[in-house]
Amino acid sequence: MVKCFPQELDQLFSALGEPVRRSVVRSLATGEKSLSALAEPFSMTMPAVMKHVAVLERSGLVRSEKRGRTRYCSLEPARLKEAQDWIAETVAFWTPKLESLARHLEASE
Amino acid sequence: MVKCFPQELDQLFSALGEPVRRSVVRSLATGEKSLSALAEPFSMTMPAVMKHVAVLERSGLVRSEKRGRTRYCSLEPARLKEAQDWIAETVAFWTPKLESLARHLEASE
DNA sequence: GATATAGTTTACCAAATGGTAAAGTGTTTC
DNA sequence: GAAACACTTTACCATTTGGTAAACTATATC
């Protein structure tokens, strides 16, 4: 299921472990946005927003492209799926224990 | 869907954004383990492992209990579901764009 | 072509993170 | 009850993180 390297999962999960960056991801889910449009909801300087976007780009969650003097950012949802897959796999590891517990309870009735 | 506070999502995702901690979570998915059992695969001192476990406990992913001189750690899979839900919601935000693109392509055929 | 706009670079800072070594505490076990 | 074991606490360290201010670059706009 998970196709990317552990190091990429590090970048992915820690990118999501920050409220500003999760907001940015949510904001981009509705379409591409410029850096200043992303910065607007937060009372934060441009360099700070740029650093968050850089973290998101390194994680593969976001890509950006400069057109004229504006840099447009957009979401790369394939990466979000990697995180989702890792969690799904972990839950799958865990679930058999629950099922065997259920069988055990049934058997002891 | 997501029932916990943003701050709890921070702790959750950044807890998962570290390879040792993801390994610990995977390791606990098969059942409870002592601190030294968790430490064994990593060439790491006990205090270091304790810090990782503390981060996991703060995130709600892990709980622990001391029996005799041994501390046993176990997974709290409900928290894993919170992370899963946040991602699912974000994908849900994003997906309508894909669908409208698909409709657009169909219409232009 | 002067001016405003959108972003970038540089230099800096405080606090958090991920680790260590060494000494201390409470349970077994012999 | 002495020794081994499983953790815990304390003190310390280097690096990373998340932010700032100020100066700079490139593109519109009037």
Side-chain angles (χ1 to χ4, degrees):
Chain A
M1 293 241 194
V2 171
K3 292 177 292 288
C4 67
F5 293 113
Q7 201 204 327
E8 298 177 290
L9 282 175
D10 295 350
Q11 294 175 327
L12 191 43
F13 279 116
S14 50
L16 293 174
E18 214 276 355
V20 171
R21 288 194 293 262
R22 276 201 312 285
S23 289
V24 166
V25 168
R26 278 286 169 95
S27 172
L28 291 178
T30 61
E32 74 171 14
K33 288 197 171 54
S34 70
L35 285 182
S36 43
L38 287 175
E40 192 270 333
F42 312 100
S43 55
M44 209 181 281
T45 59
M46 197 75 96
V49 174
M50 286 183 65
K51 282 188 186 180
H52 284 304
V53 168
V55 171
L56 288 167
E57 289 203 68
R58 254 176 290 149
S59 80
L61 276 170
V62 164
R63 62 191 160 69
S64 73
E65 180 196 356
K66 198 159 179 179
R67 296 202 291 275
R69 66 184 169 182
T70 306
R71 177 172 296 281
Y72 293 96
C73 301
S74 55
L75 202 61
E76 201 69 80
R79 263 300 148 88
L80 218 41
K81 196 174 172 305
E82 296 285 343
Q84 208 169 20
D85 286 352
W86 186 89
I87 294 173
E89 281 177 33
T90 308
V91 169
F93 260 118
W94 179 83
T95 307
K97 296 234 3 141
L98 247 198
E99 283 168 358
S100 77
L101 177 66
R103 273 196 303 276
H104 186 267
L105 289 173
E106 260 177 63
S108 64
E109 265 174 43
Chain B
M1 294 239 193
V2 171
K3 292 177 294 285
C4 68
F5 292 113
Q7 202 204 325
E8 299 177 290
L9 282 176
D10 296 350
Q11 295 175 326
L12 192 43
F13 279 116
S14 51
L16 293 175
E18 214 276 355
V20 171
R21 288 194 293 262
R22 276 199 313 283
S23 288
V24 166
V25 168
R26 279 286 170 95
S27 172
L28 291 178
T30 61
E32 75 171 14
K33 287 197 171 55
S34 71
L35 285 182
S36 44
L38 287 175
E40 192 270 332
F42 312 101
S43 57
M44 208 181 282
T45 59
M46 196 76 96
V49 174
M50 287 184 64
K51 283 189 188 181
H52 284 304
V53 168
V55 171
L56 288 167
E57 288 202 66
R58 255 176 289 151
S59 80
L61 276 170
V62 164
R63 62 190 159 70
S64 73
E65 180 195 357
K66 197 157 180 181
R67 295 201 292 275
R69 66 184 169 184
T70 306
R71 178 172 295 280
Y72 293 95
C73 301
S74 56
L75 202 61
E76 201 69 80
R79 262 303 149 87
L80 219 41
K81 195 175 173 303
E82 295 285 343
Q84 208 169 20
D85 286 351
W86 186 90
I87 294 173
E89 281 177 33
T90 307
V91 170
F93 258 119
W94 180 82
T95 307
K97 296 232 4 141
L98 248 198
E99 282 168 358
S100 77
L101 177 66
R103 272 195 304 276
H104 187 266
L105 289 173
E106 260 177 61
S108 65
E109 264 175 42

